[in-house]
Structure formats: C-alpha cells, structure tokens
Amino acid sequence: MTKIKHNDLSCKKNTVAHVYYVPASVQYTTDRELFVLETILGHRTYPFLSRFKIHGVVGVKSCENFPAETLRYTGAFARLLNKNEQFAFLCNTSNQHLDYKSHGIVCAYRALDACAISGEYIPFMTLDGIYGEHEISRKNHRDLEADVYLAGELPNLDGVVSVCCFAPSMEMSVCGSIINLGQGLASKKGKIHQRTTSCPQVNVKKCYACRRCVRECPSHAIAIVDGHVAIDSRKCIKCGKCVEIAYYGGITYDWNATPEHYYESVARHAKGVLSVLAHKVVCVNIIMSGNGNGSSFSGAMVSLDPVAVDCATLDFCENHQLLPLESVQCGRGQVNAAHSAGVGNIKYKIQTVAY
Ligand code: SF4
C-alpha cells in the first residue's frame, strides 16, 4: 500500500503539488458507494482528512453539476468523517445567477435527498444564511487584490472537504475544485459579482412599482421616479435582494461577465477561501466514464491544492477522452486564471495509490 506522508500535503507556491490518484477498483465497479467508502475514504486517504482537528467541525461541500452522484459521494464523506469522531455535515450556500436561484431551504431539500440515498441522517448547514445574507467581506485583505464576499460561517469551520464529479454528461463547463471553492463558498453577493459587472435593470413591463424593493434595498439605491422604479448604480452594491423580491421579473440582472472576468473572479474568491481556511481544505475530484446514470468510476484525484487537482483531473480526462473538448477547454481557462492569481500550483506530481 502506498504511504502518504503528512509533509507531502503542502501546496506552497511555485513548488510541485502532490496529487493522489485512486484508480477504480475492479471488484467494486458495480457498487459505487462501497468503492468510495472502502477505497477513497478508507485508510488509504485518511491522512488527508486526519489533518483536521479531532472533533473538528468539517463541512462537506459538493458541486452541483451532477447532483445525484455528487450527493451520494458527499453523503459518503460526511458519514465516514462522523465515524471517525469528527462533526461533519453537508453544507451549501445561496445562489443567484442566470435563471437559477436557490437559497438555504432549497439546499436543505437537496441535502435531504442525500440522506434519502443513504437512508441515514446527515446534518446540513447553509453557510451564508437562509437567503445569503450572512457573509464576510475580505475587502482589502493583504493577500487579495480586490474585494471578495464569502459565506459568513467559513471562519467557524475546522475544515472543508470539496467533492466534485467530472462526468461525460457535462456538456460545456467543468465544475472543478477551484469553482467549488471560489463560487460554491462565495456568498450570494460574491456569486453575483462573479457573473455580472453591472447593477440590476428594471423591466418596466413587468414591474408593478409595489415599492417593496425601495423599502428593502440595503443601500437605499432604489427610488420611484415618475411612477417607475429607478436604481442608482452609484449606490447599488449588487447584493441581489431586489432581484429576489421582484418575483415576476420586474428587476433582473444582465449576466454580462465575460469568461475571463468569471474565471478571474472565481479564482480570487477561491484564494479568499484558502486564506480563511489555510491548509484545511481537501479537494476530491471523482472521475466518471460512460453516460448519465450508466456512469461508472474511473477513479478519484485527491489533493490539498485545488489548482493541481483540477489540472491533473483535466489531463486525465483529456488523455482518456472522458470529457467533451469544450469542457476541458473551459476547465483549462479556470485553472490558468487560478494559477495566475496564486491559488495553487499548475505543476503537480501524481502518485497512484496502489492497493
Ligand atoms: S442589488 Fe441590492 S443594492 Fe442594488 S438596487 Fe438591488 S437591493 Fe439595492
């Protein structure tokens, strides 16, 4: 069995990061959960997880690009940590981008789904409040060039396990570890800032001037002018509250961020997360092959370095033609931006965990 040394786990800048590849076990290919528990989570990779304090409070965060499978794995991770006398729970944050909105209650339903799969109770916590109102701003933090807005509970955690799936059913985008940290652990406002560079727009055909947004805007940026809602872009902080309130589409965002803006902003938020949880984030990328529900494991990449683990996963997927080329290219755009922002190492050394 391959031994993993604790000092292998560091991810200092401009060094070579260590990534562990856990290949799928032949005898477990028909039982995915057993594979995860026995092979990825068992004693072979426990050194990663044992870096967290005993009895630590550990959030297990899944990406949402492949919900059924990722929920299954995040649930498995939480259960294993709990068996090892830590307090692990599923966690998520509020979201608002494009046509997609979710808040703590929606996330809690998804967590209940994960329990339904396993048949076991797994605690769940929303990290930025039910409606995304609980955040920390890393404004002018010494390591960060610009503002980031992160989920408010992050400083209270002893660690995070990030679980992502790379599956052929993903058509255009890859939600790797960098995105799962940078976007997934940003507050709702952080996510909005990643997806747009402008403040919300009023659609006069759908706005009934009910004035609720005027009352609830935290920065008093909204007024009624000539009978219509008007937003003062100099005061707007892009918190998304008015968009949430305008149920019928009276106020909407123009999701105009370019891929470069998005990658750079996600990278900045990922760096913010790592500055809050230094050396307390384990990234696990689960690689699938085949299609949709018929997917099967190809293995998993594990590292403390989100850039290296995404890079290694993309290289693996490209070499084995497991993802569409567009997905790999999107992933590379994110990896390069995160590397430039100093989130982690693009150079990695891969070590196969034998069994
Ligand atoms: S996004 Fe927030 S700050 Fe801007 S107008 Fe709407 S409620 Fe006010």
Side-chain angles (χ1 to χ4, degrees):
M1 186 184 84
T2 309
K3 287 215 164 126
I4 299 168
K5 295 180 198 149
H6 274 241
N7 58 8
D8 282 350
L9 302 174
S10 61
C11 51
K12 293 182 195 117
K13 206 176 174 188
N14 297 325
T15 56
V16 177
H18 289 263
V19 177
Y20 293 89
Y21 170 56
V22 187
S25 164
V26 174
Q27 68 261 42
Y28 290 149
T29 48
T30 54
D31 190 334
R32 299 165 185 178
E33 184 129 13
L34 192 59
F35 167 79
V36 173
L37 287 169
E38 295 287 325
T39 308
I40 300 176
L41 295 175
H43 56 279
R44 294 182 182 91
T45 51
Y46 193 72
F48 289 103
L49 307 179
S50 65
R51 281 177 66 89
F52 300 137
K53 289 176 195 164
I54 299 295
H55 304 300
V57 178
V58 181
V60 184
K61 169 77 177 75
S62 69
C63 66
E64 294 185 357
N65 59 342
F66 201 54
E69 296 295 348
T70 39
L71 279 178
R72 188 182 181 102
Y73 305 136
T74 41
F77 273 80
R79 281 197 305 281
L80 187 99
L81 285 164
N82 282 327
K83 274 182 199 155
N84 284 286
E85 297 179 358
Q86 307 200 41
F87 179 72
F89 58 93
L90 304 178
C91 62
N92 216 328
T93 50
S94 297
N95 201 351
Q96 186 184 85
H97 70 81
L98 310 178
D99 292 329
Y100 181 74
K101 291 181 190 176
S102 72
H103 49 59
I105 297 167
V106 176
C107 297
Y109 275 125
R110 292 211 190 100
L112 281 175
D113 278 349
C115 300
I117 291 167
S118 68
E120 270 180 64
Y121 169 72
I122 305 170
F124 167 79
M125 186 190 288
T126 176
L127 297 178
D128 63 344
I130 295 290
Y131 292 102
E133 69 281 8
H134 178 41
E135 70 179 10
I136 48 168
S137 164
R138 305 293 284 179
K139 201 177 175 80
N140 299 326
H141 186 273
R142 62 188 156 81
D143 293 333
L144 304 170
E145 296 76 29
D147 299 352
V148 295
Y149 307 98
L150 304 174
E153 286 301 328
L154 288 184
N156 295 323
L157 302 186
D158 292 314
V160 164
V161 179
S162 157
V163 184
C164 294
C165 263
F166 285 68
S169 56
M170 296 186 306
E171 284 170 5
M172 284 301 289
S173 64
V174 164
C175 180
S177 296
I178 301 163
I179 293 182
N180 200 28
L181 300 180
Q183 190 186 49
L185 295 177
S187 66
K188 187 172 71 177
K189 186 160 82 180
K191 293 186 184 80
I192 291 170
H193 281 243
Q194 291 166 10
R195 296 279 187 177
T196 182
T197 57
S198 53
C199 68
Q201 316 289 316
V202 180
N203 181 344
V204 287
K205 288 186 185 155
K206 293 188 176 175
C207 174
Y208 302 101
C210 68
R211 295 171 186 257
R212 210 179 138 205
C213 58
V214 178
R215 290 193 298 274
E216 301 217 13
C217 170
S219 58
H220 308 290
I222 310 179
I224 303 290
V225 178
D226 296 334
H228 295 296
V229 167
I231 298 174
D232 184 340
S233 60
R234 291 164 305 177
K235 292 185 183 172
C236 174
I237 55 168
K238 287 192 272 173
C239 69
K241 188 139 197 167
C242 56
V243 177
E244 196 83 47
I245 288 168
Y247 301 114
Y248 304 110
I251 304 179
T252 54
Y253 273 110
D254 176 7
W255 301 110
N256 62 357
T258 59
E260 291 72 27
H261 171 94
Y262 176 69
Y263 294 150
E264 188 273 333
S265 186
V266 167
R268 208 153 20 83
H269 281 77
K271 195 172 175 186
V273 170
L274 295 178
S275 77
V276 174
L277 293 168
H279 303 294
K280 292 179 177 175
V281 177
V282 177
C283 302
V284 181
N285 286 348
I286 297 189
I287 306 169
M288 313 288 287
S289 58
N291 272 316
N293 292 330
S295 297
S296 58
F297 279 111
S298 283
M301 299 281 180
V302 187
S303 179
L304 290 190
D305 185 325
V307 177
V309 79
D310 280 1
C311 207
T313 309
L314 288 169
D315 288 346
F316 184 93
C317 289
E318 190 169 26
N319 292 340
H320 293 80
Q321 299 180 334
L322 295 178
L323 283 180
L325 194 57
E326 294 88 343
S327 297
V328 175
Q329 284 166 348
C330 287
R332 298 242 183 258
Q334 184 61 78
V335 162
N336 291 336
H339 178 242
S340 303
V343 178
N345 296 294
I346 216 153
K347 286 186 190 161
Y348 64 87
K349 185 175 157 194
I350 201 152
Q351 186 176 343
T352 300
V353 178
Y355 44 89

